[in-house]
């Protein structure tokens, strides 16, 4: 009180009240965000793969590839150094049937759980602590081994976004799935209406290799919270880590007293995958992958009329306006956007579209920084590594051809442009960090998704031209714009054809759990956020009498079968419509009179 006495002469009651209110709101916000999940979470652990432990050195393969000649086995290896991680026997069609049966049986009981029980499982996942050395390090190491990315890439793209999804669902999932009241109308004023979000049963997710932890865990989190079970088909490229990562989620279920069979990981060759995507007991499929494979999945799913959410990557533009401030800081964001996970990022920046004032400055900054990037195996190198490996060398001829073709058409290759044989890791799959400037929309390198560490810079004469260039591809996943003038920024936000747009930032949608997805050649449907949760539910509309003892639906005699007088019946119908929906009181009174006259 002495403190308040000292400041009260200098502050008006209104100002003091606003300050106290702001403090109270800040306290409540921090309490919500920093809520202690450990109070309900259960300690548990799962075995740590030997390959993730310090000192592990695998056998270096002579010819690293996932197919073993003369065998159906999936050969798993680290794309950064070619060392064998293990071999996985692919799931058969019968194995898929058994997995669906187990998931279906477990889901019957899981659907009876309430939100607090489901939250407890997610809180337990969030608390997961393997014995060695810490959960983030172990998960990042496994992701690096199987996909070749750096640990910092894994932190951004695997761990941060996954724990955010866990936390968001814990805090906001129930609100998103709670039954919603819906409005009624004058004629149906005696009805109470609601929409319920109920479990679908058994769903499936076919996910890509570029983020082996996050791409698996995202569907698991949403599916479990909606009350369903899930079959997870991972890419053959990351089959090794799939079983470890899913064991973390299954371990949380077991620790909380629920069946681990709610989560069924499967890995199979494409020839077997159709058995899953066309299965009549699968209620929904989330697919993350390429457009050609998506066509097969959609055709297969159509046999059972299974709904799809399809995310097919993009050719995301980043537009730099003339009044963009602090080009050095923007360049740092662009570098992360282009080279995160060695460019193997569905919402990576594939095209930088710069207006005239920023172009040369930006080009100079990026040239020096890209030239300084260090390539290598992040878990082996004694020196820092900026850019890890590509998942496979199979796409290198296409990338080199696209670069060469663009140069022949007038583009300027300033850095890189070809595959790289690392002197210390000759069996690794590396592509040189590349900078190519003066690219035009008609060049194939500006139209095709690269999924590689290639920075493409394009010129735009003005804001309308930048928007036209951004919209010149078949893709429409994400986009970003950097600038100060609200009018120009808003013109870009409205004009760019995309499912997501970041203003003065890059790809923050996952970090705040906004609905994620695109349109056109980038797919359809959304995951993440409220929309993503609800997409994994059966939306059930329920209408009931508000006052069942006082008022309910009765068929008027004039309209009851068999109809006795068609003329008066039609007159009554006219009266009902005019009374309920007449555009004026006169019209409504006329409708009431028709009801009385024909009743």
């Amino acid at each position: 009180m002495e403190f308040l006495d000292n400041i009260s002469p200098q502050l008006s009651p209104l100002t003091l009240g606003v300050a106290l209110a702001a403090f109270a709101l800040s306290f409540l916000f921090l309490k919500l965000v920093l809520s202690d999940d450990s109070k309900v979470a259960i300690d548990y652990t799962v075995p740590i793969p030997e390959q993730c432990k310090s000192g592990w050195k695998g056998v270096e393969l002579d010819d690293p590839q996932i197919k073993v000649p003369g065998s159906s086995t999936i050969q798993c290896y680290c794309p950064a150094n070619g060392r064998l991680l293990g071999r996985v026997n692919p799931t058969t069609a019968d194995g898929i049937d058994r997995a669906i049966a187990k998931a279906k049986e477990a889901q019957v009981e899981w659907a009876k759980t309430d939100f607090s029980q489901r939250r407890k499982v997610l809180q337990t996942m969030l608390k997961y602590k393997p014995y060695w050395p810490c959960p983030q390090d172990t998960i990042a190491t496994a992701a690096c081994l199987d996909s070749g990315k750096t640990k910092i890439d894994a932190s951004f793209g695997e761990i941060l976004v996954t724990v955010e999804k866990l936390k968001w669902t814990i805090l906001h999932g129930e609100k998103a799935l709670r039954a919603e009241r819906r409005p009624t109308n004058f004629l149906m004023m005696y009805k109470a209406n609601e929409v319920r979000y109920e479990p679908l049963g058994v769903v499936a997710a076919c996910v890509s290799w570029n983020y082996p932890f996050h791409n698996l865990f995202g569907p698991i989190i949403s599916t479990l919270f909606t009350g369903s079970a899930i079959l997870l088909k991972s890419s053959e490229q990351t089959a090794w880590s799939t079983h470890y990562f899913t064991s973390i989620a299954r371990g949380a279920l077991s620790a909380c007293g629920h069946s681990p069979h709610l989560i069924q990981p499967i890995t199979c060759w494409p020839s077997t995958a159709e058995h899953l995507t066309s299965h009549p007991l699968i209620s929904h499929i989330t697919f993350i992958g390429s457009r050609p494979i998506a066509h097969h999945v959609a055709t297969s799913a159509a046999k059972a009329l299974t709904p799809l959410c399809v995310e097919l990557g993009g050719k995301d533009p980043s537009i730099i306006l003339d009044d963009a401030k602090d080009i050095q800081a923007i360049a740092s964001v662009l570098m992360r956007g282009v080279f995160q996970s060695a460019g193997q990022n569905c919402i990576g920046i594939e095209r930088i579209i710069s207006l005239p004032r920023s172009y040369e400055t930006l080009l100079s900054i990026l040239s020096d920084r890209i030239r300084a990037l260090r390539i290598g195996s992040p878990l082996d190198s004694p020196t820092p590594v900026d850019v890890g490996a590509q998942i496979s060398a199979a796409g290198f001829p296409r990338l080199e051809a696209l670069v060469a073709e663009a140069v022949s058409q007038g583009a300027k290759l300033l850095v890189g442009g070809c595959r790289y044989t690392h002197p210390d890791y000759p069996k690794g799959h590396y592509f040189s960090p590349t900078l190519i400037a003066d690219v035009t929309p008609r060049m194939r390198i500006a139209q095709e998704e690269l999924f590689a560490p290639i920075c493409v810079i394009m010129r735009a004469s003005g804001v309308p031209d930048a928007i036209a260039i951004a919209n010149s591809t078949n893709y429409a996943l994400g986009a970003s714009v950097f600038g100060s003038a609200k009018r120009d920024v808003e013109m870009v936000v409205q004009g760019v054809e995309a499912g997501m747009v970041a203003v003065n930032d890059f790809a923050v949608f996952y970090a705040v759990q906004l609905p994620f997805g695109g349109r056109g050649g980038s797919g359809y449907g959304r995951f993440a956020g409220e929309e993503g949760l609800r997409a994994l539910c059966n939306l059930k509309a329920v209408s009931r009498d508000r006052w069942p003892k006082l008022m309910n639906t009765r068929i008027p005699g004039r309209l009851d079968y068999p109809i006795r007088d068609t003329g008066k019946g039609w007159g009554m119908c006219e009266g009902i419509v005019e009374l309920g929906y007449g555009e004026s009181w006169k019209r409504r009174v006329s409708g009431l009179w028709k009801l009385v006259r024909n009743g």
Side-chain angles (χ1 to χ4, degrees):
M1 291 304 295
E2 183 179 349
F3 169 73
L4 292 177
D5 290 339
N6 290 334
I7 66 171
S8 59
Q10 301 164 9
L11 294 177
S12 69
L14 178 60
T15 304
L16 184 58
V18 170
L20 290 174
F23 175 79
L25 288 173
S26 299
F27 175 78
L28 290 173
F29 176 77
L30 289 173
K31 184 176 180 181
L32 178 67
V33 173
L34 302 177
S35 57
D36 187 1
D37 296 307
S38 64
K39 292 179 180 177
V40 294
I42 296 175
D43 288 319
Y44 77 105
T45 189
V46 296
I48 304 301
E50 289 298 317
Q51 296 89 330
C52 291
K53 296 180 180 179
S54 180
W56 177 82
K57 298 290 182 183
V59 175
E60 187 178 279
L61 298 171
D62 292 331
D63 181 21
Q65 57 179 313
I66 60 173
K67 291 186 177 180
V68 179
S71 171
S72 64
T73 300
I74 299 170
Q75 182 170 256
C76 308
Y77 66 93
C78 176
N81 54 32
R83 290 177 186 156
L84 180 68
L85 294 172
R87 293 183 174 88
V88 174
N89 290 321
T91 308
T92 63
D94 286 342
I96 291 173
D97 288 339
R98 289 191 296 272
I100 292 174
K102 289 179 180 178
K104 186 174 178 61
E105 181 181 2
Q107 192 272 334
V108 172
E109 291 302 316
W110 180 246
K112 300 174 185 177
T113 58
D114 58 29
F115 288 122
S116 65
Q117 291 171 294
R118 298 172 195 175
R119 262 195 304 271
K120 183 177 180 178
V121 172
L122 300 191
Q123 289 163 327
T124 298
M125 289 182 191
L126 192 60
K127 191 182 180 182
Y128 167 65
K129 295 177 181 178
Y131 289 128
W132 180 93
C134 74
Q136 290 192 52
D137 191 275
T138 307
I139 290 169
T141 297
C144 292
L145 285 170
D146 221 6
S147 66
K149 60 169 57 74
T150 69
K151 291 178 79 170
I152 290 176
D153 286 341
S155 179
F156 277 119
E158 306 276 16
I159 297 170
L160 179 67
V161 288
T162 300
V163 294
E164 162 58 22
K165 189 177 185 76
L166 278 167
K167 192 69 174 179
W168 184 92
T169 309
I170 289 166
L171 293 176
H172 307 294
E174 181 175 354
K175 177 179 176 291
L177 299 183
R178 193 182 298 136
E180 286 184 330
R181 288 297 184 95
R182 295 295 174 89
T184 187
N185 56 55
F186 175 69
L187 292 178
M188 305 297 286
M189 67 175 70
Y190 63 97
K191 292 293 184 181
N193 309 314
E194 67 178 14
V195 174
R196 295 181 177 183
Y197 300 95
E198 298 184 344
L200 280 175
V202 180
V203 303
C206 304
V207 298
S208 58
W209 45 261
N210 56 329
Y211 290 107
F213 178 64
H214 175 254
N215 286 352
L216 281 174
F217 247 74
I220 288 173
I221 294 165
S222 295
T223 299
L224 291 181
F225 201 77
T226 60
S228 291
I230 187 168
L231 265 74
L232 288 154
K233 188 225 170 282
S234 62
S235 168
E236 308 90 88
Q237 299 282 1
T238 51
W240 171 76
S241 62
T242 293
H243 292 276
Y244 168 55
F245 290 149
T246 52
S247 74
I248 296 173
R250 298 180 93 186
L253 284 166
S254 296
C256 295
H258 304 290
S259 173
H261 295 313
L262 287 163
I263 302 170
Q264 294 291 327
I266 62 172
T267 305
C268 62
W269 294 110
S271 57
T272 308
E274 185 176 351
H275 188 75
L276 170 64
T277 54
S278 63
H279 204 288
L281 295 181
I282 296 296
S283 300
H284 182 279
I285 299 173
T286 298
F287 175 79
I288 304 174
S290 68
R291 291 177 65 185
I293 302 301
H295 286 292
H296 291 292
V297 173
T299 301
S300 177
K303 296 176 183 177
L305 297 179
T306 305
L308 291 169
C309 173
V310 180
E311 195 271 278
L312 306 178
K315 192 70 179 170
D316 286 14
S318 184
I319 296 175
I320 317 301
L321 302 180
D322 273 335
D323 64 349
K325 307 296 183 184
D326 197 349
I327 297 298
Q328 285 281 1
I330 292 173
S332 293
V333 177
L334 296 176
M335 289 287 289
R336 174 57 57 184
V338 173
F339 296 103
Q340 163 73 22
S341 292
Q344 299 164 117
N345 188 13
C346 58
I347 51 169
I349 296 175
E350 291 252 341
R351 296 172 294 159
I352 297 173
I353 304 169
S354 178
L355 270 63
R357 288 184 198 168
S358 304
Y359 190 91
E360 295 299 336
T361 302
L362 191 60
L363 191 60
S364 174
I365 295 170
L366 291 176
S367 295
D368 292 339
R369 296 186 66 173
I370 293 172
R371 201 171 280 114
L373 291 176
R374 297 155 295 187
I375 313 169
S377 177
L379 299 181
D380 301 305
S381 177
T383 57
V385 171
D386 302 304
V387 180
Q390 302 297 108
I391 194 69
S392 167
F396 290 173
R398 181 183 76 92
L399 295 173
E400 290 171 337
L402 287 172
V403 171
E405 182 183 272
V407 171
S408 72
Q409 295 171 345
K412 296 178 182 178
L413 179 62
L414 302 178
V415 184
C418 60
R419 70 191 75 190
Y420 175 74
T421 301
H422 201 290
D424 298 324
Y425 319 107
K427 301 298 182 180
H429 307 317
Y430 296 99
F431 198 89
S432 300
T434 297
L435 174 61
I436 184 166
D438 294 350
V439 172
T440 62
R442 292 188 177 182
M443 297 176 183
R444 283 200 302 146
I445 201 169
Q447 295 294 316
E448 298 183 15
E449 185 179 30
L450 303 177
F451 230 56
I454 299 177
C455 182
V456 171
I457 302 187
M458 309 173 73
R459 295 179 185 268
S461 59
V463 177
D465 186 37
I467 294 171
I469 294 171
N471 293 339
S472 65
T473 76
N474 292 324
Y475 293 98
L477 185 59
S480 56
V481 55
F482 292 84
S484 301
K486 185 176 180 180
R487 176 178 172 274
D488 290 342
V489 169
E490 190 58 30
M491 187 185 300
V492 173
V493 171
Q494 291 187 4
V496 169
E497 296 173 359
M500 304 165 286
V501 180
V503 176
N504 290 316
D505 210 332
F506 150 72
V508 295
F509 322 107
Y510 264 137
V512 292
Q513 282 299 295
L514 284 172
F516 188 97
R519 52 179 290 194
S522 291
Y524 52 87
R526 297 292 185 270
F527 48 83
E530 290 188 6
E531 293 78 4
L533 270 182
R534 291 174 175 179
L536 288 173
C537 295
N538 173 46
L539 275 64
K540 180 180 286 183
V542 180
S543 183
R544 55 165 54 91
D545 292 326
R546 192 184 302 273
W547 310 290
K549 294 182 179 180
L550 298 176
M551 189 180 297
N552 51 45
T553 299
R554 297 291 178 90
I555 304 298
R558 292 292 187 192
L559 304 179
D560 201 8
Y561 287 120
I563 305 296
R564 297 189 296 274
D565 187 330
T566 302
K568 286 189 175 294
W570 173 248
M572 177 166 278
C573 288
E574 282 188 316
I576 291 171
V577 172
E578 290 182 9
L579 176 63
Y581 303 99
E583 76 283 1
S584 65
W585 284 107
K586 183 178 179 181
R587 189 76 177 272
R588 293 192 175 196
V589 170
S590 172
L592 179 60
W593 172 244
K594 287 180 181 180
L595 284 176
V596 172
R597 190 176 62 189
N598 293 286

